[in-house]
Amino acid sequence: MTRISDNLQAVRSAIASACRSAGRNPESLRLLAVSKRFGVTDILEAVAAGQRDFGENYVQEALGKIAQLPREPLRWHFIGPMQSNKTRDIAEHFDWVQSVDRLKIAQRLSQQRPPHLPALNVCIQVNISGESSKSGCRPEQALELCHAVASLPQLRLRGLMAIPAPAATPVGNQAAFRGLHALAGAIRQADLRGNVRFDTLSMGMSDDYASAIAAGSTMVRVGTAIFGARNSAVMP
């Protein structure tokens, strides 16, 4: 087994343990391997170990990898902040976008999604900790944005995503995670119309995913615990 394969096995075991502790079925949790700053060789090692979902933050870096790797059965998630001039590339090459935080960006993604592709799965990013330096809509804006996004023809609204403020301990973000879970529950009760499959709560990373799972996460985004320390340069 490779180092990445060993790491993946350890992360999956830890996720299963966290799910059992929370009284949940491990099958209810999806693992997203955050591959930013790692190269094609690293991703292929993860693919060989059974990983299928990969998250990227930088469009140009991601496009180079996507072009070199088999399109199926991999699923590519864009999880970084978006600029308007990058939406076409994202709409054309990704399966998921987890960082939609304003209607203008959602409209561009819908308009630029090629009609022969399935609807683009999107999550609304919520600035659950209220950080001025972080992307995401305010919690009180999330329902209105969900209504608007659900009406766009080439998008499928899947749920919410958040990156809480850094915490001193792995359980330090428990309140933020619970807040996002409660917000998702309230939105599920709303009369959302359109292309909606509101089944995703993307929260939790390498340092705190067990806490996020306890709070109801359905997708954790793990990079360092799988691939190791990140390279400072963009990898080909």
Side-chain angles (χ1 to χ4, degrees), residues 99-101 125-128 131 134-138 141 161:
S99 47
V100 172
D101 62 357
Q125 182 173 354
V126 180
N127 189 347
I128 198 67
E131 295 176 272
K134 192 164 287 181
S135 300
C137 70
R138 297 195 303 272
Q141 298 173 321
M161 182 272 261

Side-chain angles (χ1 to χ4, degrees), residues 43-79:
I43 295 172
L44 284 173
E45 288 184 19
V47 172
Q51 182 61 31
R52 297 293 179 262
D53 289 273
F54 293 89
E56 292 283 337
N57 289 59
Y58 309 110
V59 176
Q60 291 309 121
E61 176 189 347
L63 293 181
K65 300 174 190 178
I66 292 170
Q68 296 179 65
L69 290 160
R71 197 67 187 90
E72 298 290 342
L74 306 188
R75 291 176 292 268
W76 293 95
H77 301 238
F78 190 78
I79 59 175

